[in-house]
């Protein structure tokens, strides 16, 4: 039995045990991002793909105006109403509550329901477990209530939940990937126009593998300097009379260098560089030049570590080990402040890289990094 089936069965059985009825099952995945980090809220490009790790929920409308939710992983339950003043105290329940509220605010009727959920997206690993969570419930409620909300609006409902109920001023990448993921394909998304295109991820064809190394340093974007990074970018854009940093040149930025703080300058400089790197990667991918893709990944890591300052010692070490082992590309992935590196590695170097990373990392930090091979999978769906 594969993991998906096991998790679906688990939530289903628990639901029947608690609520005595047969539920519908829904699932929405976490994501990776090849390149284009901290570009989404700057109106730039991102390059994510959904993965085979997801949140699963068993759910059924209960004919009341209350929600009864049970977290299988935490063994906790929480009941709450659907009005603004009913905000639950459990932080995990705020994600579900937020999705309901954001739907209601947009004029969609939401009714009470019972739900049991669990998941296998590693928490705090930069793989968007929270977006997977929001998207699972947004997708499920839309389907159960027959609203016909499209996937983009569902993604926006997830993002608004983060902003208004969880305190993270995130961009749209994670929820978009969780909704629009397609097996075997990465998505190049232009976060200014929301235009997107699917790119096949043919790493095997060229003799490469993608693998995540989880430092197990827990990244928590709530309360992290994530929102400060976003504010820096917004200040610089405003100073330049623009809505976004997207499209500004290094010359334009340099011209105002003395008028903005050196920190804001550094943050914006990273974003300008990253925009170029994403475009270079698109070109390199279409030419099958994965060495070039890898080179850009290292450059992104350098920028995220030194200019954007969202890395940490453990992640820098994992990237250094990758370099030593001849890995083609390696960088911190996601919001930062912990979590995973994403690595593009030649097939023949894979085993040695993994063994070396485990040994060196464990020697320094007392535990091995978690090795997460990647399977690019479909987005939100009902599980039959
Ligand atoms: C988090 C956010 C995304 C994005 C990334 C950084 O995952 O949720 O919107 O900003 O960080 O690229």
């Amino acid at each position: 039995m594969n993991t998906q089936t096991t998790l679906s069965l688990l939530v289903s059985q628990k639901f029947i045990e608690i609520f005595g009825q047969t539920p519908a099952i829904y699932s929405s995945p976490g994501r990776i991002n090849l390149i284009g980090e901290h570009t989404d809220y700057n109106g730039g490009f991102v390059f994510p793909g959904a993965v085979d790790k997801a949140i699963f929920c068993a759910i059924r409308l209960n004919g009341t105006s209350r929600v009864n939710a049970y977290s299988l992983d935490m063994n906790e339950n929480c009941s709450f109403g659907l009005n603004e003043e009913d905000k639950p105290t459990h932080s995990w329940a705020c994600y579900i509550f937020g999705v309901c509220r954001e739907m209601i605010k947009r004029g969609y009727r939401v009714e009470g329901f019972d739900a049991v959920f669990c998941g296998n997206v590693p928490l705090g690993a930069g793989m968007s477990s929270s977006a997977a969570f929001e998207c699972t419930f947004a997708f499920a409620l839309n389907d159960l209530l027959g609203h016909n909300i499209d996937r983009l609006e569902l993604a926006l409902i997830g993002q608004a939940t983060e902003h208004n109920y969880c305190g993270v001023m995130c961009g749209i990448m994670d929820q978009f990937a969780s909704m629009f993921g397609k097996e075997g394909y990465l998505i190049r998304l232009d976060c200014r126009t929301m235009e997107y295109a699917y790119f096949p991820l043919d790493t095997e064809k060229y003799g490469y593998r993608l693998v995540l190394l989880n430092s197990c340093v827990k990244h928590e974007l709530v309360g992290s300097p994530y929102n400060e990074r976003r504010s820096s970018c917004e200040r610089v854009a405003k100073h330049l009379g623009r809505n976004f940093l997207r499209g500004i040149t290094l010359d334009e930025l340099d011209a105002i260098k003395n008028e903005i703080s050196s920190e804001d300058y550094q943050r914006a400089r990273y974003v300008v560089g990253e925009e170029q790197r994403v475009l270079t990667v698109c070109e390199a991918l279409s030419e099958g030049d994965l060495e070039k893709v890898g080179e850009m990944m290292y450059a992104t890591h350098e920028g995220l570590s030194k200019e954007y300052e969202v890395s940490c010692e453990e992640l820098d070490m994992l990237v250094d080990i990758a370099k030593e082992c001849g890995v083609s590309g390696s960088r911190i992935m996601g919001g930062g402040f912990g979590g995973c590196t994403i690595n593009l590695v030649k097939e023949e170097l894979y085993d040695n890289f993994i063994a070396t990373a485990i040994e060196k990392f464990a020697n320094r930090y007392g535990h091995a990094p978690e090795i997460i091979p990647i399977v690019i999978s479909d987005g939100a769906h009902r599980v039959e």
Side-chain angles (χ1 to χ4, degrees), residues 31 36-41 128 170-174 221 226 334-335:
R31 58 111 189 85
E37 217 65 90
H38 291 274
T39 44
D40 57 356
Y41 53 82
S128 302
C170 64
I172 192 63
M173 167 169 73
D174 304 351
L221 293 185
Y226 179 92

Side-chain angles (χ1 to χ4, degrees), residues 31 33 35-42 45-46 126-128 130-131 159 162-163 168-175 191 219 221 226 230 270 274 304 308 310 331 333-337:
R31 58 111 189 85
N33 184 29
I35 198 148
E37 217 65 90
H38 291 274
T39 44
D40 57 356
Y41 53 82
N42 284 304
F45 289 100
V46 291
M127 294 179 70
S128 302
S130 61
Q159 182 195 26
E162 293 274 352
H163 289 189
V168 179
M169 296 306 293
C170 64
I172 192 63
M173 167 169 73
D174 304 351
Q175 292 79 8
C191 297
H219 104 150
L221 293 185
Y226 179 92
R230 181 170 181 155
Y270 160 77
E274 186 70 350
L304 285 170
Y308 220 64
V310 294
R331 66 175 194 83
M333 189 186 76
F337 313 104

Side-chain angles (χ1 to χ4, degrees), residues 312-363:
C312 61
E313 184 191 303
E314 290 85 347
L315 288 162
D316 288 345
M317 183 184 182
L318 286 175
V319 170
D320 286 343
I321 297 173
K323 249 182 226 156
E324 284 162 31
C325 293
V327 169
S328 305
S330 177
R331 66 175 194 83
I332 181 172
M333 189 186 76
F337 313 104
C340 294
T341 58
I342 177 167
N343 303 274
L344 179 64
V345 50
K346 280 204 179 116
E347 197 70 58
E348 63 268 26
L349 300 178
Y350 185 86
D351 290 343
N352 176 57
F353 167 49
I354 298 300
T356 311
I358 289 176
E359 194 198 321
K360 290 201 167 174
F361 194 86
N363 275 346

Side-chain angles (χ1 to χ4, degrees), residues 145-292:
L145 295 162
H147 287 319
N148 283 319
I149 309 173
D150 66 30
R151 283 180 186 256
L152 178 57
E153 194 175 355
L154 291 174
L156 290 167
I157 285 170
Q159 182 195 26
T161 298
E162 293 274 352
H163 289 189
N164 301 325
Y165 297 91
C166 311
V168 179
M169 296 306 293
C170 64
I172 192 63
M173 167 169 73
D174 304 351
Q175 292 79 8
F176 192 94
S178 193
M179 279 293 166
F180 287 82
K182 185 166 155 177
E183 195 181 328
Y185 290 84
L186 295 183
I187 316 164
R188 188 195 62 205
L189 170 67
D190 179 337
C191 297
R192 186 171 60 185
T193 61
M194 298 311 284
E195 276 167 1
Y196 63 98
Y198 289 106
F199 279 68
L201 184 65
D202 285 338
T203 43
E204 275 165 37
K205 178 169 134 195
Y206 298 105
Y208 290 80
R209 277 204 224 176
L210 268 182
V211 62
L212 302 184
L213 265 56
N214 187 1
S215 64
C216 301
V217 175
K218 278 267 183 296
H219 104 150
E220 237 328 332
L221 293 185
V222 184
S224 81
Y226 179 92
N227 293 349
E228 285 169 29
R229 297 295 182 279
R230 181 170 181 155
S231 300
S232 281
C233 296
E234 285 171 351
R235 271 195 298 275
V236 177
K238 194 161 168 226
H239 196 96
L240 286 162
R242 307 279 266 271
N243 290 330
F244 293 126
L245 285 183
R246 160 83 179 275
I248 75 156
T249 62
L250 204 51
D251 286 347
E252 281 174 281
L253 183 62
D254 282 340
I256 59 156
K257 190 172 178 180
N258 297 327
E259 298 160 24
I260 57 179
S261 74
S262 58
E263 229 177 48
D264 285 2
Y265 171 79
Q266 236 177 266
R267 309 300 185 231
R269 206 185 139 88
Y270 160 77
V271 174
V272 172
E274 186 70 350
E275 192 180 324
Q276 272 316 308
R277 286 187 288 270
V278 179
L279 297 175
T280 306
V281 162
C282 290
E283 216 180 285
L285 268 187
S286 55
E287 289 163 3
D289 185 355
L290 295 194
E291 285 305 300
K292 189 78 190 170

Side-chain angles (χ1 to χ4, degrees), residues 295-314:
E295 201 186 295
M296 293 299 108
M297 290 167 76
Y298 278 122
T300 292
H301 185 79
E302 187 70 13
L304 285 170
S305 178
K306 305 274 160 43
E307 293 179 327
Y308 220 64
E309 294 185 284
V310 294
S311 186
C312 61
E313 184 191 303
E314 290 85 347

